[in-house]
Amino acid sequence: MTVNDSVREVLSQKKFNKKIVIFFLKNRKKRERLLEMSKNKKKTVICLCGGGTGTHILAGTIGAKENFIVNIFTRKPEKWTKEITVQSPSENKEFVGKINIVSSNPEEVFKDCDIFICNGPAMANPIYLKAMEPYLKDGAIIGSIFGQGGFDFAVLDIVGGRKEFEKRKLKVFSLKGIPWVCRTLEYGKSAKIVGKKVRLQMAAIPKIKEIENELKVLCEELFDIPTVILPNMLCITLVPGNQIIHSGRYYGLFSKWNKDIEYEEKDFPLMYQDFDDFSAEITQKLSDELLFLKNGIIEKFPEIDLSPIIDLKDNIYAAYKEQVKDTTNLKTVFCTNAAYAGITTPMDKKDNGKLIPALKSRIFYEDIPFGLLLLHNIGEILGIKTPTMDTCIFWAQDLMNMKYLEKDGKMNPEAIEDTGCPMKYGIKTIEQLVNNSLDWN
């Protein structure tokens, strides 16, 4: 390498002050040492948990960055290649990310990791967290691209409580929603970003301003999207999102369904564009009950900022703005939202070509035990009834062959293990519920 090549390489390293570099260039030995330092600069090791589309996108985009080493924890490592290609037509870009290790063995992918990101559904997070816990070094960062289901409760539980969490100087961030509309093109090889959010919303623990700002900057580096800090983790737990939308719509479509009923594919309504009056009524009632919970928390802890939790109709409009053509009511917001156009209702196809509800889907196994049931549990803690949520839970648990709620509407303690309910983590009072969302200083 020539002297000029050395100069150019050193100056390209953003970490170094250019005046200092020029000074060191007067001394060859110091110049060579500086260059060696730049080459040996430690890269950040990040592990992506889960084999879904989110992991494909992050493997391609983060893996294309020079300052990261990417590992993947998945049940199907044999199906992954060492390079992932991600298309982003709206940016006119194609990313090719390098993968270091893909494995189903926790030790192989988690050892020496600096950052862990959970990309699966909420019901997978406890599995990922339990697998990574033995390999969490002091100062590690744990994130989730979708924080529904009490992600902060789960992390603190798996590491042994808040004192141990603080002792190990761990940090957690959670996004309000995934950063993109995306799909996998070829599993383990390629994916496509169909649409990208213009901003992300993130909450963090410890709730300390300096740490929140640090994690905001990290998110912007990881996702390449401007990020705003939400007031607290409860703003994600109470989000009027999938747990409300999916549950209301599916109940609206299938509340009278039984195993003898089958549907023709060509005649079946679209998930959002064909939103009907009954689905809108149920979904609006779910949104109203969520706001009752929000107000119940604020009444007892007025210092907690839950302003981001708003009515579902307003929340959808805030996210999609001009893409919504008619804001008259919740039904028209769903039916006229261009971002929802053409999205089909998740269904299972039988051998005869007929359709039935997708009983094994995330609509049941995520949005009920890590969504509505969690909200019902918060209602029990607050002493606030949630009759519409309870109606949807009773209906869903019959189809799931589960018993989350007893006949009297109370939580079934024997069924909480595979849920995100506060009760699972020993949270029984409003003070315990809001503890993570108060300032940690």
Side-chain angles (χ1 to χ4, degrees):
M1 180 179 284
T2 67
V3 172
N4 287 337
D5 289 337
S6 300
V7 172
R8 278 192 292 270
E9 180 162 349
V10 173
L11 290 177
S12 70
Q13 305 297 317
K14 294 181 180 179
K15 178 126 179 128
F16 298 99
N17 183 290
K18 292 186 178 181
K19 290 183 179 179
I20 296 175
V21 171
I22 292 171
F23 173 79
F24 277 147
L25 289 176
K26 296 178 181 179
N27 184 303
R28 183 175 178 180
K29 289 184 178 180
K30 289 183 179 179
R31 183 185 72 238
E32 290 174 349
R33 185 165 67 246
L34 180 64
L35 182 58
E36 190 63 26
M37 286 171 58
S38 73
K39 287 182 176 179
N40 294 333
K41 180 183 174 184
K42 186 179 181 298
K43 294 185 177 183
T44 300
V45 182
I46 182 168
C47 187
L48 307 175
C49 301
T53 302
T55 290
H56 283 74
I57 300 296
L58 291 179
T61 55
I62 297 176
K65 300 175 186 286
E66 289 295 328
N67 51 331
F68 288 102
I69 294 173
V70 174
N71 296 341
I72 296 176
F73 179 55
T74 174
R75 292 174 298 171
K76 304 173 183 177
E78 71 282 355
K79 295 189 176 183
W80 287 76
T81 58
K82 283 292 188 177
E83 288 189 343
I84 299 295
T85 301
V86 173
Q87 302 172 11
S88 183
S90 63
E91 300 175 283
N92 196 27
K93 290 182 179 178
E94 182 175 276
F95 304 89
V96 179
K98 296 179 181 179
I99 300 176
N100 180 43
I101 301 171
V102 185
S103 179
S104 58
N105 183 338
E107 183 175 10
E108 290 183 7
V109 290
F110 291 146
K111 188 177 180 181
D112 299 322
C113 275
D114 304 295
I115 301 172
F116 304 78
I117 299 183
C118 298
N119 296 310
M123 63 271 202
N125 288 336
I127 299 171
Y128 300 148
L129 293 171
K130 184 177 181 179
M132 73 177 67
E133 193 280 329
Y135 309 100
L136 289 173
K137 60 185 180 182
D138 290 356
I141 295 172
I142 309 163
S144 171
I145 66 170
F146 180 52
Q148 176 182 309
F151 188 67
D152 53 324
F153 302 148
V155 173
L156 291 179
D157 178 71
I158 209 71
V159 301
R162 179 161 162 170
K163 286 186 178 179
E164 185 66 18
F165 180 89
E166 292 181 290
K167 178 183 176 182
R168 295 167 67 174
K169 298 180 180 179
L170 301 173
K171 302 166 190 174
V172 169
F173 74 82
S174 184
L175 301 184
K176 181 181 175 183
I178 65 173
W180 342 262
V181 176
C182 53
R183 60 190 179 93
T184 300
L185 298 177
E186 187 174 359
Y187 188 87
K189 295 181 180 180
S190 59
K192 181 179 181 179
I193 298 174
V194 179
K196 190 174 181 178
K197 288 186 176 176
V198 295
R199 72 166 188 168
L200 299 179
Q201 295 175 281
M202 176 218 75
I205 56 171
K207 184 169 166 47
I208 298 171
K209 187 174 182 180
E210 292 78 8
I211 292 176
E212 290 176 323
N213 287 330
E214 174 193 341
L215 294 177
K216 161 187 155 57
V217 172
L218 173 65
C219 285
E220 291 179 332
E221 183 178 9
L222 292 175
F223 304 113
D224 295 313
I225 301 175
T227 301
V228 297
I229 301 171
L230 289 169
N232 49 65
M233 279 287 187
L234 276 174
C235 290
I236 291 180
T237 300
L238 296 173
V239 65
N242 291 349
Q243 54 195 356
I244 299 297
I245 297 170
H246 292 167
S247 301
R249 177 56 166 155
Y250 234 61
Y251 183 82
L253 287 168
F254 303 114
S255 59
K256 300 188 183 304
W257 180 82
N258 63 63
K259 63 181 181 179
D260 296 322
I261 299 176
E262 299 175 345
Y263 304 94
E264 295 287 346
E265 185 171 8
K266 62 183 178 62
D267 298 327
F268 203 79
L270 295 171
M271 183 71 170
Y272 305 115
Q273 201 170 349
D274 295 326
F275 225 77
D276 58 80
D277 290 329
F278 182 56
S279 295
E281 178 187 349
I282 294 297
T283 307
Q284 184 61 60
K285 287 181 178 179
L286 292 174
S287 175
D288 293 342
E289 290 177 7
L290 179 64
L291 294 181
F292 293 156
L293 299 180
K294 165 194 170 179
N295 293 333
I297 294 172
I298 293 173
E299 183 178 338
K300 297 187 178 182
F301 281 87
E303 66 270 31
I304 290 186
D305 183 358
L306 295 179
S307 58
I309 306 304
I310 58 178
D311 179 72
L312 177 58
K313 178 173 78 73
D314 299 330
N315 191 65
I316 294 172
Y317 180 72
Y320 295 101
K321 299 288 186 183
E322 66 279 357
Q323 295 184 73
V324 180
K325 302 305 180 186
D326 187 346
T327 60
T328 302
N329 53 47
L330 184 60
K331 175 185 173 182
T332 62
V333 164
F334 276 114
C335 291
T336 68
N337 185 352
Y340 291 159
I343 296 177
T344 58
T345 301
M347 302 286 281
D348 287 338
K349 183 179 287 189
K350 298 183 69 174
D351 292 340
N352 63 6
K354 300 291 183 66
L355 301 181
I356 60 172
L359 301 180
K360 300 296 183 181
S361 70
R362 292 170 65 164
I363 290 174
F364 285 93
Y365 286 89
E366 179 174 50
D367 294 320
I368 300 301
F370 290 86
L372 289 191
L373 193 68
L374 184 157
L375 297 176
H376 168 95
N377 191 186
I378 291 176
E380 284 195 2
I381 292 171
L382 293 169
I384 295 174
K385 293 189 179 300
T386 53
T388 311
M389 293 183 186
D390 295 357
T391 296
C392 292
I393 294 168
F394 277 122
W395 167 77
Q397 71 180 22
D398 285 345
L399 295 176
M400 299 167 70
N401 196 29
M402 294 293 295
K403 191 179 181 182
Y404 295 120
L405 296 183
E406 303 282 6
K407 289 182 179 180
D408 61 1
K410 298 294 185 182
M411 297 280 296
N412 175 13
E414 296 180 2
I416 65 169
E417 183 59 32
D418 294 323
T419 76
C421 292
M423 179 191 289
K424 173 183 176 179
Y425 305 111
I427 297 172
K428 300 178 181 179
T429 67
I430 180 63
E431 288 78 15
Q432 292 172 320
L433 178 71
V434 304
N435 195 34
N436 294 344
S437 294
L438 297 170
D439 287 338
W440 285 42
N441 285 320

